[in-house]
Amino acid sequence: MPTFETQTYWDAVNDKRLLLKTCGDCGRVHYTPRSHCPFCFSAATEWTNASGRGEVYSYSIASRAEPPYVVAYVKLAEGPMMLTNIVGCPPSDVRIGQPVQVTFAQDAEGRTRPYFQPAKKGAA
Ligand SMILES: [Zn+2]
């Protein structure tokens, strides 16, 4: 459930934008929507737009689900790791290191969520 800290994040997701937090003190980027930097505990964090690009860091296939789906850690271009699902391709096509890009779809509860799909070839 969205909280005060995450409301901005979910508002952006509903708007099909992926936000990250950038720390104003140490400059590091983190994904977890929270008000304090997890690296230096600074409160000087700001929302920034993610590029939506990344690569598959690790994944597992939920093969007993119908249809099977892929749970993956995607390493975002900005650096943070994000636990997500890979969509838009057969689970057997997913590879570690595969370039992916964000896409948005509704989950079973009708909430818009960020997922990742294989990056289109030639896309910047
Ligand atoms: Zn920091």
Side-chain angles (χ1 to χ4, degrees):
M1 278 289 123
T3 64
F4 175 74
E5 278 194 341
T6 61
Q7 189 62 51
T8 304
Y9 173 83
W10 289 111
D11 283 351
V13 165
N14 280 324
D15 205 24
K16 295 186 167 28
R17 287 183 299 127
L18 186 64
L19 291 183
L20 297 170
K21 278 267 190 159
T22 301
C23 178
D25 281 327
C26 71
R28 295 180 75 170
V29 180
H30 49 284
Y31 163 66
T32 316
R34 58 177 134 185
S35 56
H36 286 68
C37 173
F39 304 109
C40 72
F41 307 107
S42 166
T45 57
E46 286 192 353
W47 292 106
T48 48
N49 276 304
S51 66
R53 288 180 289 112
E55 64 178 44
V56 176
Y57 181 79
S58 68
Y59 70 95
S60 64
I61 300 173
S63 54
R64 293 184 189 193
E66 188 53 51
Y69 61 95
V70 179
V71 180
Y73 275 102
V74 166
K75 189 176 189 337
L76 299 174
E78 289 80 3
M81 208 75 81
M82 186 173 161
L83 182 64
T84 185
N85 297 119
I86 305 297
V87 299
C89 71
S92 57
D93 282 5
V94 176
R95 297 284 180 270
I96 287 178
Q98 181 178 26
V100 289
Q101 63 188 50
V102 74
T103 183
F104 295 89
Q106 291 194 336
D107 66 12
E109 282 88 49
R111 287 213 303 165
T112 303
R113 290 183 173 278
Y115 301 106
F116 282 80
Q117 63 186 9
K120 292 179 180 68
K121 284 197 172 67

